[in-house]
Amino acid sequence: MSVHVSDPIQYAPVTRPHRRWLAWSLALLLHLAVIGIVASWQFAPAPAERGSLDVVLVTRSSDAPVEAEAIAEADQLARGEQREEAPAESRAAPMDDLPVL
């Protein structure tokens, strides 16, 4: 194609580096747009709204734990007398009597 001197259209030189730069720029913008759109999606449902719970601390004197003491005393009496046992070291078998593995 020949260009005439009187041609009113100005042609910009489009070379391979320009095309490569344009392709990389468009690809980068397209990827950023897709990543932005996917990042704006909400995959998990919104957490349920929590209600508040009012707690009031009150100080008052407690009743004597008569029933609890009676239960504990009955348990101790039902257990009977505690007898002394020999220590575990004296009840263990001597090392000479153990089988060889």
Side-chain angles (χ1 to χ4, degrees):
M1 176 169 148
S2 64
V3 178
H4 300 289
V5 176
S6 64
D7 195 2
I9 300 174
Q10 298 288 328
Y11 293 98
V14 178
T15 59
R16 288 184 185 168
H18 288 96
R19 282 187 233 148
R20 188 179 312 132
W21 180 85
L22 181 64
W24 276 102
S25 300
L26 289 176
L28 181 65
L29 288 174
L30 181 64
H31 279 82
L32 288 175
V34 168
I35 290 172
I37 290 171
V38 170
S40 68
W41 292 347
Q42 187 174 9
F43 294 108
E49 204 173 300
R50 297 181 127 188
S52 64
L53 176 65
D54 295 332
V55 177
V56 179
L57 301 177
V58 178
T59 358
R60 66 180 181 122
S61 60
S62 62
D63 299 329
V66 176
E67 186 178 336
E69 286 179 2
I71 293 172
E73 185 178 349
D75 286 343
Q76 288 177 356
L77 291 175
R79 189 172 66 189
E81 292 290 322
Q82 184 177 2
R83 50 189 172 124
E84 292 292 325
E85 289 188 15
E89 293 86 10
S90 65
R91 290 182 283 145
M95 291 296 287
D96 298 336
D97 295 346
L98 294 177
V100 178
L101 295 176

